[in-house]
């Protein structure tokens, strides 16, 4: 039962952050959304900061698992790059609540060294996953620059999406990143 309650609290945290658009949510509010008492939320996570860290770890773990599955399906270096792009804008990852949570975590990472560490882990993984395909197409230095720019596009599209109303449009986001990649990789792709 404990894992279910912990997961319910994490899901409630994502929902509350998504609705509020910031980390300015209380443990009581989160607990209420999860259908548990504040005392139980504190029992599982201690302070709100620990729940926020657990939520960020959960989001990163889901992204990592989704990325691994996507990369296992890719059969070419170019396919690996596209798989990484697509998974970042998948139905699970590109939800309004998750987008708002990412933005809130980026803002809070300016003050929290623990969140900053987690975001650095995310950035290293994204870069590494992009490089796993790009190094099969481009010289290492150029692959590194294209990976950095592609990661910036992905993160930037999340920020832009967080600032817009309405349902996120993953297809448009993917098309923008793929257009950039086509420009950089045209004539050099390994099929």
């Amino acid at each position: 039962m404990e894992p279910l309650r912990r997961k319910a609290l994490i899901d409630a945290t994502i929902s509350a952050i998504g609705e509020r658009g910031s980390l300015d949510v209380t443990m009581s509010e989160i607990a209420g959304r999860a259908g548990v008492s504040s005392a139980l939320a504190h029992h599982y996570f201690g302070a709100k900061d620990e729940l926020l860290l657990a939520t960020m770890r959960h989001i990163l773990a889901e992204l990592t698992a989704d990325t691994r599955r996507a990369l296992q399906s890719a059969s070419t270096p170019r396919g690996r790059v596209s798989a990484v792009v697509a998974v970042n804008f998948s139905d699970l990852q590109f939800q309004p609540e998750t987008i708002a949570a990412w933005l809130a975590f980026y803002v809070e990472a300016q003050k929290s060294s623990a969140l900053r560490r987690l975001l650095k882990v995310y950035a290293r993984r994204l870069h590494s996953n992009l490089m796993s395909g790009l190094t099969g197409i481009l010289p290492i230095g150029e692959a590194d620059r294209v990976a950095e720019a592609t990661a910036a596009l992905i993160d930037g599209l999340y920020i832009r999406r967080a600032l817009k109303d309405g349902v996120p449009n993953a297809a448009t986001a993917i098309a923008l990143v793929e257009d950039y990649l086509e420009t950089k990789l045209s004539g050099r792709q390994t099929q």
Side-chain angles (χ1 to χ4, degrees):
M1 190 60 135
E2 180 179 335
L4 291 175
R5 286 189 176 148
R6 290 177 67 84
K7 174 78 167 77
L9 284 161
I10 287 169
D11 289 344
T13 303
I14 294 168
S15 174
I17 292 168
E19 186 177 296
R20 181 92 28 98
S22 76
L23 299 181
D24 187 24
V25 295
T26 65
M27 283 291 268
S28 177
E29 180 183 350
I30 293 166
R33 284 175 183 261
V36 301
S37 69
S38 290
L40 194 58
H42 283 285
H43 169 73
Y44 286 136
F45 293 102
K48 183 176 100 171
D49 289 349
E50 292 303 315
L51 176 55
L52 295 175
L53 279 171
T55 301
M56 187 70 216
R57 283 188 195 104
H58 172 77
I59 290 170
L60 284 171
E62 283 187 339
L63 179 59
T64 298
D66 288 350
T67 302
R68 282 188 182 136
R69 281 189 294 276
L71 287 172
Q72 287 172 351
S73 302
S75 59
T76 65
R78 180 65 174 92
R80 291 180 71 77
V81 177
S82 289
V84 173
V85 171
V87 80
N88 277 276
F89 298 106
S90 69
D91 289 341
L92 180 62
Q93 298 298 327
F94 206 53
Q95 293 292 319
E97 297 82 15
T98 306
I99 293 166
W102 273 105
L103 186 59
F105 284 125
Y106 266 102
V107 170
E108 188 65 22
Q110 301 305 303
K111 299 179 277 183
S112 166
S113 60
L115 283 176
R116 189 169 31 259
R117 274 192 306 277
L118 287 176
L119 287 172
K120 285 180 180 180
V121 167
Y122 154 74
R124 282 192 304 268
R125 284 182 188 162
L126 178 56
H127 189 268
S128 174
N129 288 328
L130 289 165
M131 289 292 284
S132 76
L134 290 169
T135 55
I137 305 168
L138 299 170
I140 190 81
E142 194 174 342
D144 187 58
R145 285 188 300 279
V146 171
E148 185 69 23
T150 303
L153 281 169
I154 290 168
D155 290 345
L157 288 164
Y158 262 74
I159 291 168
R160 284 180 177 240
R161 180 65 257 160
L163 300 174
K164 290 185 178 181
D165 292 329
V167 178
N169 186 335
T172 301
I174 291 169
L176 286 169
V177 178
E178 288 290 342
D179 283 350
Y180 165 76
L181 288 166
E182 279 304 308
T183 300
K184 292 307 219 178
L185 303 177
S186 63
R188 300 180 98 159
Q189 295 180 28
T190 301
Q191 299 297 332

